[in-house]
Amino acid sequence: FHRGVTSPDEIEQTGISVYASVPKSVQQLEVASKLKRKSNKDLLLLAEENPADLSIEALRGLRTSLHFAMMEAKNNVLMISGPAPSIGKTFVSTNFAAVAAKTGQKVLLVDADMRKGYLQQCFGLTADNGLSDFLSGKISQDMVIKPTKVENLDVITRGQVPPNPSELLMHPRFVEFVEKASQEYDLVIIDTPPVLAVTDPSIVGAIAGTTLMVARFDQTTSKELEVARSRFEQSG
């Protein structure tokens, strides 16, 4: 009955390279329960609360291996996606962004999950004046970038939930925005919804130089990973 992948070897057998294996963190469960209270104004990031946590240590390893992998990429834009919901994409995106910013890189973290993104909660911000508001032309690019309590790290929240997220991402404004951000920052990380549920990550992935897929132990099947990969390959 257990169909999910339980070791990196199983994934590598399908021809996908595994860059990091992030262990489950007991402390992250405490952070997650605070996130559910929604009224927080605090920074709720494991990378800040406990930088010595093994999960964060694993993300530092990921930072190093991705640094070399991204040297060959067409740009410094990294998209983080995965096949299904609730597998840890936002956890990886937010904490990886904090870990990268600690090295002195200027990092921009973008929440491109305009349907259910909750990245703003990790930084004690609100979702308003975010990506959807900028892409629909309500506000300018300068108004959309929010500084965080983490040095060198800026974020763009999802904005108001729009009726047409994928159409907004296909707007030329999004490409221009990514190109401009790519010049102004050392690393641009885009957190996206699950690729098997919606088409948004395929649109973003075509612009991003590097795509990182997150899979969850015992939950993500190798079939899901293969289908997700072929989705990304179809859209270039």
Side-chain angles (χ1 to χ4, degrees):
F1 291 109
H2 289 281
R3 300 188 309 273
V5 290
T6 52
S7 82
D9 306 345
E10 288 175 60
I11 299 174
E12 292 193 320
Q13 278 167 8
T14 63
I16 303 175
S17 40
V18 176
Y19 276 95
S21 186
V22 182
K24 188 173 182 179
S25 159
V26 180
Q27 192 164 359
Q28 174 58 21
L29 297 173
E30 295 169 16
V31 174
S33 68
K34 288 182 195 166
L35 277 178
K36 291 198 174 85
R37 291 188 211 132
K38 292 205 173 163
S39 61
N40 72 297
K41 293 278 179 284
D42 307 328
L43 186 64
L44 291 176
L45 269 189
L46 186 62
E48 288 291 310
E49 292 216 353
N50 185 8
D53 196 279
L54 288 176
S55 302
I56 302 305
E57 211 40 77
L59 289 174
R60 286 194 189 98
L62 175 63
R63 177 185 67 196
T64 310
S65 42
L66 264 184
H67 174 73
F68 294 109
M70 289 180 77
M71 281 179 173
E72 293 162 23
K74 64 179 177 181
N75 59 26
N76 58 354
V77 180
L78 168 69
M79 174 176 84
I80 296 182
S81 189
S86 305
I87 51 176
K89 294 180 295 297
T90 301
F91 169 73
V92 171
S93 310
T94 51
N95 286 286
F96 182 74
V99 162
K102 289 274 193 291
T103 60
Q105 283 184 300
K106 264 192 83 179
V107 181
L108 177 66
L109 175 61
V110 183
D111 192 350
D113 184 349
M114 289 184 273
R115 293 171 169 86
K116 294 182 174 174
Y118 63 92
L119 195 142
Q120 67 281 355
Q121 293 177 13
C122 305
F123 296 98
L125 300 165
T126 59
D128 311 337
N129 295 340
L131 187 63
S132 63
D133 305 303
F134 162 67
L135 293 178
S136 54
K138 290 181 193 157
I139 55 176
S140 68
Q141 185 165 341
D142 305 332
M143 288 169 71
V144 99
I145 295 175
K146 303 174 183 178
T148 67
K149 293 170 187 168
V150 182
E151 206 179 340
N152 296 324
L153 175 59
D154 292 345
V155 297
I156 291 180
T157 54
R158 64 170 157 78
Q160 296 290 329
V161 179
N164 55 346
S166 31
E167 283 77 24
L168 285 180
L169 289 171
M170 291 179 87
H171 196 284
R173 205 179 273 133
F174 183 64
V175 181
E176 287 165 23
F177 154 72
V178 173
E179 284 169 357
K180 190 177 172 199
S182 170
Q183 288 163 3
E184 291 173 6
Y185 289 85
D186 300 318
L187 178 64
V188 179
I189 300 173
I190 305 181
D191 183 18
T192 58
V195 67
L196 297 186
V198 293
T199 169
D200 307 11
S202 302
I203 303 165
V204 178
I207 305 167
T210 311
T211 296
L212 190 65
M213 217 167 15
V214 180
R216 187 164 170 180
F217 176 87
D218 212 19
Q219 206 168 311
T220 308
T221 62
S222 48
K223 185 75 191 151
E224 280 180 320
L225 288 172
E226 283 174 37
V227 177
R229 177 172 63 172
S230 63
R231 284 271 167 97
F232 284 132
E233 282 171 351
Q234 278 165 8
S235 51

